[in-house]
Amino acid sequence: MAGAVSQPPIAGPNVTYAAPKRHSALAMFCLAQPLGAISGVAIAIMLFGGVFADFVAPYDPLTIDFGAMLAPPSWEHWMGTDAFGRDIFSRVIFGARTALTIGFFASLMGCVSGAMIGVASAYFGGRIDMIVQRFIDVMLSFPIIVLALVVVAMLGRNQIGGIDINLVFAIAIPILPKVARVVRSAALSIREMPYVDAARAAGFGHMRIILRHMVPNVAAPFLIMFTAFIAQAILLEASLSFLGLGVTEPTPAWGLMLSGNASDFYREAPWMILFPGLAISVAVFAFNLFGDSLRDWLDPKFKV
Amino acid sequence: MNKVMDPAMARIFAAMQLVPKIDLRALPTAEARQTFIAQQVPWAWCPHPLKEIRNLTIPGPAGPMRGRLYLPEGGDARPVVVFAHGGGWTFGDIDTIETPDPLTVVFKMKNPNPAMLEHFASPWNWVYAAKDLAANANAPRTAINGTGPFRLGEHVRGSHITGTRNDKYFRQGRPYLDGFRGVFMTQPAAMMNALQGGQVMAEFRGISPAERDRLVQVMGDRIRIEESSWTLNLMVVFNTEKKPFDDVRVRRALHLAIDRRAGAQGLARTATLRDPGGLVRPGSPFAMKDEDLLKVPGFGRDIAAARAEARKLLREAGVPNLTFVLHNRNLAQPYTPAGIFLVDQWRQIGVNVEHRQSETSPYLAGMSSGNFDVAIDFSNLFMDEPSLALAKYLSFNKAPENRSRAIDAEMDRLYAAQSRERDFQKRFDLIRQFEKRAFDQAYQVPMLWWHRIVPTHKVVMGWQMSPSHNLGQDLADVWLNT
């Protein structure tokens, strides 16, 4: 190159820059949210137990053994037996299947329908928003357990494939207004975004704008609520089963294990209520903690 | 023609108009009989003294016919009433009820009925003075007199009932108590607490074994426990109008798979169920003896052989992997334990059962409409009388309370024969034949009989335990040793 003056390299310390370490999202979550990671492990264990209960559980959860009635915890029966001689450990494992199935589907149903209503309400605004929100107000005025009790009493039972569909409805309906209200508040700000205006200006229909442009942008609060409401749904299912309105005997279910004969024998056989109670507590605690951690991790406001 | 009605007849018709219409065909047979007998009472209000009652034989084209002449006093110049009866009805066994003097009632029977004296003692019967009925034909529904030893104080629905001593009770010196107060509690836990706290001194219906143990543990020698077999049983009912339960092999297989002996031992600790038995309460005079019961398929000790036979029958019927819904009542005692037990028993022969429990109203609606596959039914007998106990097993067109909806002329015939038989041993044998037919066909089979446990405070004296909570509750002999 004409006129170019070659210059000696500048002497200095030999600095090497290591390429930034690439952590997986999972590892980053574990590092940032250790409590969330622990609760995630607890959830994974429950999921594993629930899915593979047939292989993990040492006994059939329904088989009666009158020779082992009310046996205390031992090597043979880790969590003891109930008033029918059924192995409580096996019933707790199978109970995870019941709790997670109903919890997952009820939360999914409540959250999806609530999110749809919330987004639509925010998008259309005006009179539609006002009417929808007053309905939501009415639903929110009922305590969650009362609303579930009313719904389950009205619908009765309708078992399909071993799952009481009406019970799932009964649990999903109280979740719906809570999700709708939160999602609406998130969607209200999204509605004002220029890309929504652009989509409207491009002549897209309401459904396309809602589904393609607004719903994906409320995914973060949706996911957080979905996780947290699984805990609520598990608790609600346990409560309804305890009250005799949920799952029926002999299906293994944690709430059901606390009622019936357990109330007759909890003095002489406290393990009948101790372990199912612990299972409910751990499950609810784990899902709540996981939901909180997920919110902290996903929400930029919490990333300090 | 002038339309003139006899004043006494007019009063009877007026009384009949006041009483709600009851379809006797819709009632359980025993209850219908009682109602029928009660409905006949107004016809005994005869204000005209009768000069003569004479049985007649009237010649007819197909042979002689029976008749009866009622001739009033006061001359023969009176109109004649001809009352013709089609005949052939066998529902009521009482032909006439006559009251020749104020303290005598004469029942004339159409048919021999060894259960009639028991029927007269039924707790569902009531006695009213003729003047009260004449003043208000609806009195049995609205003007409750009392229990005999006690006059009704007050009844507050869902809360309590009180009674005060009847000083004119026919037994001299009875009752001992000045009165009683009965409280209605639907929650067993509340009743247990009231018993422990002394607000309630007896629970007469019956408590569970766990509740008994708790009371004894907490109250020690302050509580008295009395136990008896109970005139209540749980039954397994197959809806014979639904496939495959119209096949006797399927019904018998499910009957054979139930290990009643093991169930009796295990459930006795947790539920108000105990005795395996036939169709008549175990321990009662007409009950099958246990050594004979052991020989009945489904009640023996060799459950492995019974279940092998059950699997074979299911294979022969073409339903080796049978699946059905068990319709049950949503009550903790003893329905839920019974349902858990049955599901386990049937799983052991490869049958998959969905246990569906309903509140009492939909449960009963499902039972009466036949909207079920297999159900747990109950039999609540208010007395130890085979004619009452077996009535539930009559054909559906004779006994709507037969939830299996089966029609079986042979069982009807055996029932009628035992109900007319006055010789104890012959009747006992007829009842065994009826039971054999019932178990062979297995339209509905007893599961286990209930066990009654009654706690009373030790200060409560004079009460006698009975096998029914409907019997022996007049409290005439009860006193307090305070």
Side-chain angles (χ1 to χ4, degrees):
Chain A
M1 186 186 291
V5 178
S6 71
Q7 290 184 356
I10 299 166
N14 187 17
V15 178
T16 56
Y17 296 94
K21 220 174 187 177
R22 294 180 67 84
H23 292 291
S24 68
L26 184 65
M28 284 170 70
F29 176 77
C30 292
L31 285 171
Q33 303 288 338
L35 278 176
I38 293 169
S39 56
V41 170
I43 291 168
I45 291 171
M46 277 187 286
L47 270 173
F48 181 81
V51 173
F52 299 104
D54 295 292
F55 308 103
V56 177
Y59 294 91
D60 183 316
L62 307 186
T63 298
I64 289 174
D65 180 4
F66 286 127
M69 286 166 70
L70 303 171
S74 63
W75 284 114
E76 205 175 345
H77 298 285
W78 290 2
M79 295 182 181
T81 62
D82 66 8
F84 293 91
R86 297 176 296 188
D87 183 59
I88 290 178
F89 180 53
S90 303
R91 290 183 66 77
V92 166
I93 292 172
F94 274 90
R97 178 182 287 181
T98 309
L100 291 176
T101 307
I102 293 178
F104 178 84
F105 284 111
S107 181
L108 186 71
M109 193 183 289
C111 288
V112 168
S113 47
M116 295 300 292
I117 290 170
V119 172
S121 179
Y123 173 77
F124 291 111
R127 185 170 289 181
I128 292 175
D129 186 43
M130 198 271 288
I131 292 169
V132 170
Q133 291 311 308
R134 295 301 75 77
F135 273 113
I136 299 289
D137 284 341
V138 170
M139 290 177 80
L140 284 172
S141 66
F142 290 98
I144 194 163
I145 181 77
V146 174
L147 193 55
L149 276 171
V150 170
V151 176
V152 85
M154 281 169 58
L155 295 179
R157 297 179 196 278
N158 178 23
Q159 289 202 333
I160 297 174
I163 299 173
D164 189 344
I165 300 297
N166 289 350
L167 180 62
V168 174
F169 270 119
I171 297 171
I173 286 174
I175 293 173
L176 185 151
K178 293 173 186 289
V179 177
R181 181 55 55 85
V182 173
V183 168
R184 172 183 171 270
S185 64
L188 278 175
S189 59
I190 293 165
R191 188 183 66 173
E192 306 303 326
M193 290 290 172
Y195 56 81
V196 176
D197 287 338
R200 207 176 282 135
F204 293 153
H206 296 314
M207 281 302 282
R208 181 174 172 141
I209 295 170
I210 288 173
L211 292 176
R212 293 284 297 275
H213 300 283
M214 293 187 72
V215 166
N217 286 295
V218 294
F222 173 84
L223 269 180
I224 293 159
M225 280 188 297
F226 170 63
T227 318
F229 277 120
I230 289 178
Q232 285 259 17
I234 289 172
L235 202 57
L236 213 48
E237 180 270 312
S239 307
L240 291 172
S241 298
F242 178 78
L243 294 172
L245 293 165
V247 177
T248 51
E249 283 276 13
T251 308
W254 296 336
L256 195 59
M257 291 169 75
L258 294 175
S259 65
N261 279 127
S263 55
D264 288 332
F265 293 102
Y266 69 90
R267 289 178 186 84
E268 56 182 297
W271 51 88
M272 280 178 72
I273 55 169
L274 178 68
F275 294 108
L278 263 178
I280 294 171
S281 303
V282 169
V284 172
F285 192 58
F287 275 105
N288 276 333
L289 211 58
F290 188 71
D292 281 353
S293 303
L294 202 62
R295 181 197 60 194
D296 294 351
W297 194 59
L298 289 175
D299 194 332
K301 288 198 287 289
F302 288 90
K303 287 184 177 171
V304 180
Chain B
M1 181 180 169
N2 291 331
K3 291 182 180 174
V4 179
M5 185 179 282
D6 180 89
M9 200 65 226
R11 218 167 65 216
I12 291 170
F13 279 135
M16 290 170 72
Q17 292 297 318
L18 282 169
V19 176
K21 300 287 179 291
I22 298 170
D23 183 0
L24 295 174
R25 293 167 303 177
L27 292 177
T29 307
E31 196 180 326
R33 280 215 172 97
Q34 295 301 313
T35 310
F36 183 70
I37 291 168
Q39 285 175 345
Q40 288 183 314
V41 170
W43 295 93
W45 301 343
C46 182
H48 306 299
L50 292 173
K51 184 177 167 187
E52 186 184 357
I53 303 173
R54 194 194 312 158
N55 286 330
L56 308 171
T57 303
I58 306 163
M65 296 184 294
R66 289 192 299 161
R68 186 173 291 141
L69 172 70
Y70 295 87
L71 196 63
E73 286 181 352
D76 297 334
R78 287 170 177 270
V80 174
V81 174
V82 178
F83 177 70
H85 190 290
W89 295 357
T90 56
F91 182 73
D93 285 340
I94 296 173
D95 195 6
T96 59
I97 304 172
E98 291 162 13
T99 50
D101 64 68
L103 293 176
T104 307
V105 183
V106 178
F107 293 87
K108 288 193 174 164
M109 307 292 291
K110 262 192 297 206
N111 300 297
N113 186 337
M116 192 49 72
L117 280 176
E118 290 275 358
H119 279 310
F120 288 151
S122 160
W124 303 114
N125 289 342
W126 52 81
V127 178
Y128 272 81
K131 64 179 173 57
D132 291 347
L133 288 171
N136 175 15
N138 214 17
R141 291 177 60 84
T142 56
I144 298 165
N145 287 331
T147 62
F150 295 95
R151 294 181 182 279
L152 179 70
E154 64 169 353
H155 172 220
V156 178
R157 193 180 173 89
S159 171
H160 64 273
I161 185 167
T162 61
T164 53
R165 189 176 195 278
N166 176 13
D167 294 328
K168 294 180 181 171
Y169 188 48
F170 76 96
R171 287 171 66 198
Q172 286 293 317
R174 300 289 196 283
Y176 296 121
L177 298 176
D178 294 328
F180 71 86
R181 180 184 176 86
V183 292
F184 305 115
M185 292 190 192
T186 53
Q187 294 299 321
M191 177 57 81
M192 288 300 101
N193 291 339
L195 268 169
Q196 281 183 41
Q199 290 94 346
V200 167
M201 305 190 82
E203 203 279 350
F204 287 122
R205 192 175 192 281
I207 60 173
S208 74
E211 289 163 346
R212 171 200 59 199
D213 297 344
R214 178 183 151 195
L215 282 177
V216 170
Q217 190 183 15
V218 174
M219 298 184 71
D221 62 359
R222 290 187 296 127
I223 194 85
R224 181 193 300 113
I225 302 290
E226 292 178 83
E227 304 195 16
S228 164
S229 60
W230 208 341
T231 52
L232 276 161
N233 75 347
L234 286 190
M235 312 147 76
V236 179
V237 184
F238 305 103
N239 188 343
T240 56
E241 290 183 349
K242 288 197 174 182
K243 287 192 177 300
F245 307 105
D246 57 340
D247 188 331
V248 66
R249 292 170 299 186
V250 175
R251 298 195 301 267
R252 275 181 62 80
L254 295 173
H255 161 54
L256 288 171
I258 304 168
D259 187 356
R260 292 173 175 82
R261 298 281 161 184
Q265 286 191 333
L267 292 171
R269 197 172 163 193
T270 58
T272 52
L273 295 169
R274 183 165 300 183
D275 297 313
L279 310 189
V280 182
R281 181 180 69 85
S284 62
F286 285 100
M288 191 187 292
K289 292 177 178 59
D290 200 49
E291 59 263 31
D292 296 327
L293 189 67
L294 278 166
K295 297 171 196 160
V296 176
F299 289 87
R301 296 195 197 282
D302 191 354
I303 189 63
R307 287 190 179 142
E309 172 71 9
R311 286 193 199 91
K312 181 168 155 273
L313 286 169
L314 286 180
R315 278 197 303 275
E316 285 174 7
V319 284
N321 303 312
L322 179 63
T323 296
F324 62 83
V325 174
L326 175 65
H327 180 65
N328 194 8
R329 194 175 181 182
N330 194 13
L331 278 183
Q333 284 293 351
Y335 295 86
T336 301
I340 295 169
F341 173 68
L342 286 173
V343 170
D344 171 71
Q345 299 296 292
W346 288 327
R347 286 177 81 235
Q348 295 189 38
I349 56 166
V351 174
N352 183 30
V353 184
E354 182 192 315
H355 185 213
R356 197 173 290 174
Q357 290 185 272
S358 309
E359 298 306 316
T360 298
S361 179
Y363 161 79
L364 291 175
M367 297 293 282
S368 52
S369 65
N371 186 22
F372 68 92
D373 297 335
V374 180
I376 295 179
D377 193 10
F378 62 95
S379 173
N380 182 358
L381 310 172
F382 50 84
M383 56 190 189
D384 262 341
E385 176 35 61
S387 290
L388 179 65
L390 305 183
K392 205 171 170 62
Y393 295 83
L394 282 166
S395 287
F396 179 54
N397 54 3
K398 295 187 188 309
E401 73 269 28
N402 176 350
R403 311 300 189 188
S404 75
R405 307 170 90 81
I407 304 287
D408 191 313
E410 175 63 6
M411 289 182 76
D412 296 342
R413 186 190 68 75
L414 287 166
Y415 179 90
Q418 72 79 31
S419 72
R420 301 274 171 259
E421 181 54 64
R422 280 173 288 179
D423 180 87
F424 179 89
Q425 191 54 48
K426 286 180 182 168
R427 192 178 181 206
F428 186 91
D429 294 341
L430 283 165
I431 292 168
R432 296 292 79 79
Q433 289 178 46
F434 185 92
E435 276 182 327
K436 183 177 184 315
R437 177 78 183 172
F439 290 134
D440 285 347
Q441 294 300 314
Y443 306 117
Q444 48 185 336
V445 288
M447 183 195 151
L448 289 172
W449 286 76
W450 292 31
H451 186 73
R452 189 176 181 211
I453 304 171
V454 172
T456 49
H457 280 229
K458 277 278 174 69
V459 295
V460 177
M461 311 296 284
W463 183 78
Q464 296 290 318
M465 182 68 168
S466 77
S468 167
H469 55 290
N470 297 127
L471 299 174
Q473 285 302 125
D474 67 3
L475 306 181
D477 297 317
V478 171
W479 57 284
L480 299 178
N481 183 20
T482 49

